[in-house]
Amino acid sequence: MPDRGGGPTGPRIRVGRPSRRARTLLMTLGVLAVLAMVFVMFAGFWTDWLWYRSVNYSSVFTTTLWTKVGLFTVFGLLMATVVGVNIWLAHRLRPPLSAMSLEQQSLDRYRMGIAPFKKWVLLAITALVGLIAGASSSSQWRTYLMWVNGVPFGQKDPQFHLDVKFYAFDLPWYRFLLGFGFAAIVLGLIAAALTHYLYGGLRITSPGARATAAATGHLSVLLGLFVSLKAVAYWLDRYGLAVKSSDFKAAGNWTGLRYVDANAYLPAKTILFCIAVICALLFFATLWRRTWQLPMIGFGLMVLSAILIGGLYPAIVQKFQVQPNEQAKEAPYIQKNIDATRKAYGIDTAKAENYSGKGDPKRKAEQREASSTAASYRLVDSNVVSPAFQQLQQERKYYQFPATLDVDRYTGPDGKPQDTVIGLRELNIKGIPKRNWINDHFTYTHGYGAIMAKGTSTVTDPDKGTVGAPDFTESGLPTTGQLKKYEQRIYYGEKTEQYSIVGGPQKELDYEKNGEETTSYKGKSGVNLSNPFNRAAYAVAFSEPQILYSGAIGDGSRILYNRTPKERVEAVAPWLTIDGDAYPAVVGNRIKWIVDAYTTTDGYPYASRTTLGQTTADSLTDSQRAVVAQQNQVNYIRNSVKATVDAYDGTVELYQWDTEDPVLKTWMKAFPGTVKAKSDIGPDLKAHLRYPQDMFKVQRELLTRYHVTDPEQFYSGSDAWQVPDDPTNKDSSAVPPYYLSLKMPGETAQKFSLTTTFTPAGRPNLGAFMAVDADANSKGYGSIRLLRVTSTVQGPSQVQSELNSVPEVATFVRDLRGTDSEIDYGNLLTVPLDGGFLYIEPVYARGGAANYPLLKKVAVSYGGKPVFKDSLAEALNAVFGVDGAEQPPTTTPPDDTTKPPTTPPATGDAALKQAIADAQKAYEDGEAALKKNDWAAYGKAQEALQKALERAAAAAPKPAGGSGG
């Protein structure tokens, strides 16, 4: 009978299988875990699809997705096939195994260990390399789409006479294919060599032949393919010389062929191509000769030729032919670079005009008269007055304005365009009184209203507000003023980065005026969360489980995200480079964010490259305004698209602006129906379109060198310019360009323009002035005027320094410090006037009760004469010496908050007593206002106190002994 247990060690314990219920439970848990992992991975994909569908750009999502999937599949399979076939072939060609040496005996255990799993090992290796190659290839979707849909430029390069399309669209794709081919051959070669070694086809220490005939033939074919690809690389390198970057002392970052490239590298690449072809044929010949002797000799000669012909020979040409007479040798190539660079950046029509820069001192009266209409002097600096908007129009702590406001044009009461400073009152989530999930995402969901102020003047009547504060033309909550009725709610803005859930059972706070007003979102924007599956997907995607079960979400609930204008346009048009400054405009009855977008490439032959992130940086640039393209170094740029984002419903619309741009036409072929025609831009919208700042900054940086069109002068660098540092900023950062309505020399009417100045390289005096017609309705839109200064004229930093040395400035600063206030310098505007340059700078005081900038003074300089006065008119009169302006200025500015006396001013002791009495009254008024927390009245009282004390000091008896002067 069978032994059922017992024995010296006792009964055996039998471990039974888990019960069916346990197995079912474990299997269920495993399946649920896998499904949960799949859902987590799927959630991001699904929410992206829902978002693109909600903005009506699902075609962008599908086109991009299927292009990536196609590239992943094709190149992943290609790589897996190449590696897998070579492993299989090497295994198939293995020799009969016999343990003839220690080397082979040591490999036996690996062969035996792999033998049962050979198919699985092969599948694992091919799958791994296929996944890696496919993932890498899918990132080339832009390169592929540009190659497939490329449109000719209609321009040919001067060396090979090929259309620019070849360099911009075709060559990048060919280089990708070449790189992929190299990677596939190298991986296949490594895999084949290891397999041959493992199975005895290759030997290292064994006696006799190191490789079998089969292994020799197999590896020789792979090496022949590698050398063949190297021959193709040499051939493509010939064309790559036209877009090659190099350092050239005459031009800095140089792109294109130089003398040594055309006369040494180009023939060298052709010779190396021929040598590589011969070498590849020698490797293929080993299929018959079964020896590596000749191909290895050929390969060695190719390497030696690459060193001698591709490296040493060009160095000799550069040393002994070019350097002794570099200017003459390089002149034709410099000319090609100048022509191509100016064309690629749209500056080919910009020609420098000579301009004296010094006005006729005998024409003071005429100059004063002309100054009244030379420009609409923007005294309200959009870069300075944001704190005034914040304190005077914030209304609630949970609202905010951007640090830098925007400049636009609106029709004034007289029916004429008026330069206007505008900012939107956006939601500030950090200012919410009580922070919690409901308040952050359901209750406080939007900002409210567009606030506007005149750009050319401030408040001068104390009955209408604080003197020197912005003169608002649209203000309040809700806003009222010069605009007609419009949708004031701002659900999409530059500062709106958090998601909100709107339209459901939870009411939103609309605004607070005389109590809380609530609302519920009526727009069609966002993704509907009524579907439980969508809620679960967003709970995973946003890592917020409350989205799944919160009772605040119900029928009609929609989730709004990707809410800044820049990220919305980038998402629907990932092939565009977005300007750093989206700006708002009230168009019809809606607030629209206007976004300038660029098409770029780094493949324009002979055009020098520039780095967008550096070129577009200035004293106002922050992380939000940074501009970075997919390839940050570009050598072609066009403002080809104007985009708008509705501030209420987030609708994104793309309009074709540059109808001739081949890069845009290429992308429009790749994504049909995404860009509307230029004719679809309505007149209300067009009135607010303008020349973009970042495009202008790129062009001005290139024009520091490329305003010179003569190659010899370009080489010498004698007329190089630089963008000056901002004289009003302590940091060494470039001065920003300024929007300004002005008349350029020879013009009869003002044009809305974007302006900047240049100084000669390494010197502070003024070198040139640049302006571009920025009005989209103007026939000359985009035309650049360059005024080259032919006289020695003060530059911005010199003007600023001289203004600071004016005695009135020192007095003003000293008095400000006495009142615990600070001085803010506004934009230093430069305006051409009657052969010279008129500098205008508003000066603000900040501190005291009104801790925001108030316009107090205006500094003006013309012909090297700086003045510092209480108003623009007074300063212009003073600088041109008209209307009795040579007399000492009054100590009380016309915008003083105290009311003018009704009797003649007192003199002597009476004046002193009156001033003391006024100071006492102002002090008492201030104390009374302080008790009532009436900060506006307190500010007026403090200003009145300061003026009274100044009059008292002026009327006080002078000490004996004279003035000393």
Side-chain angles (χ1 to χ4, degrees), residues 67 243 336 352 379 813 867:
T67 303
V243 289
K336 294 174 183 178
L379 300 180
V813 172
V867 297

Side-chain angles (χ1 to χ4, degrees), residues 285 474 532:
E474 185 77 18

Side-chain angles (χ1 to χ4, degrees), residues 49 113 155 167 170 187 206 210 344 346 474 536 561 564 572 591 695 701 775 843 884 916:
W49 161 249
Q155 305 164 27
Y167 301 94
D170 299 341
L187 288 176
S206 299
R210 300 296 185 186
E474 185 77 18
Y561 63 104
T564 68
V572 303
I591 299 175
M695 179 78 175
E701 181 64 31
D775 186 352
V843 180
I916 293 173

Side-chain angles (χ1 to χ4, degrees), residues 301 682 866:
L301 289 175

Side-chain angles (χ1 to χ4, degrees), residues 248 250 254 257-261 318 322-323 325-337 711 715:
F248 184 25
W254 172 274
L257 286 83
R258 290 159 54 189
Y259 181 89
V260 70
D261 297 312
Q318 178 69 24
V322 178
Q323 288 186 4
N325 191 18
E326 189 172 46
Q327 181 172 316
K329 294 289 187 182
E330 301 288 11
Y333 304 96
I334 293 175
Q335 188 64 63
K336 294 174 183 178
N337 176 268
Y715 177 86

